[in-house]
Amino acid sequence: GQGQRFRLDFLFTAGTQNEQTQAILSDTWRRAGFDVYPAILSEADARDLSSRHTYKGLASRGGTPTPSFYTTSGIGSAANRWAGDNRGGWSDSEFDRLYRAFNSSLDPSDRTRDWVQMMTKINDQAVAYLLFFNIQIKTWVPGLRGPDVGVQGFGELSTPTTPHWNIHEWEWAG
């Protein structure tokens, strides 16, 4: 009803950095007028997939979201033993079609088009909201050539790969 504060249950997995981030975000939302109820999920409970798929509220999953997080086939349930990455349970047949097309095409322009349409759909329907970004500093040994975060290309759109993607090309400078 009018005049009531919006209650926000907010779950983070246990861990020093996670808990500090949760405290900062919870404080910010309280100042903005949200009724925030933070909760910590133990590492043991984090391995219980049913608790992750049935939590009623905001939950931080960590990591970079990928399109597989939003496919209908990724919705966990007791019937599939809570398998899948779609913890929010969002389902859209057009998104699923675009995801299949993206994964079956080798043409960069087709993949870029499908990627943009998938991300537009997620954005337009507010399926996910990125809360924060962890900045990581990487250092390299001066005599080592080759370490490169690299990119996995989708036409003009690219996502970072692991820093070890080209380890077979590394060499010591002489």
Side-chain angles (χ1 to χ4, degrees):
Q2 282 186 324
Q4 292 181 351
R5 294 177 73 177
F6 176 71
R7 179 185 169 110
L8 184 62
D9 292 324
F10 187 33
L11 184 68
F12 257 73
T13 304
T16 304
Q17 182 176 355
N18 289 346
E19 292 173 38
Q20 289 172 345
T21 301
Q22 182 190 45
I24 292 166
L25 291 171
S26 295
D27 180 61
T28 302
W29 286 340
R30 279 190 193 102
R31 291 174 192 227
F34 292 95
D35 198 8
V36 180
Y37 291 84
I40 299 296
L41 185 66
S42 72
E43 292 195 30
D45 286 339
R47 289 187 292 275
D48 174 18
L49 296 178
S50 67
S51 67
R52 299 295 279 222
H53 281 278
T54 59
Y55 183 75
K56 305 263 190 262
L58 270 180
S60 172
R61 69 177 297 127
T64 303
T66 66
S68 67
F69 290 4
Y70 311 110
T71 60
T72 301
S73 63
I75 297 173
S77 68
N80 68 8
R81 296 183 182 171
W82 306 103
D85 289 322
N86 187 344
R87 295 183 190 153
W90 178 74
S91 177
D92 184 276
S93 60
E94 177 61 9
F95 182 90
D96 292 341
R97 185 195 68 73
L98 290 165
Y99 180 75
R100 285 189 303 274
F102 175 81
N103 282 314
S104 63
S105 176
L106 296 175
D107 181 270
S109 45
D110 288 346
R111 288 173 58 83
T112 298
R113 183 194 65 241
D114 295 336
W115 180 270
V116 169
Q117 289 177 7
M118 284 187 294
M119 296 305 109
T120 299
K121 193 165 264 303
I122 288 169
N123 183 62
D124 288 350
Q125 295 187 28
V127 174
Y129 183 76
L130 300 178
L131 298 173
F132 63 94
F133 301 89
N134 285 331
I135 296 173
Q136 296 180 354
I137 297 172
K138 307 259 188 225
T139 59
W140 307 114
V141 176
L144 182 61
R145 289 190 197 155
D148 181 10
V149 172
V151 292
Q152 188 174 28
F154 303 125
E156 294 298 314
L157 302 173
S158 301
T159 58
T161 61
T162 67
H164 311 104
W165 73 275
N166 67 339
I167 196 167
H168 62 284
E169 298 173 355
W170 295 8
E171 61 185 34
W172 287 106

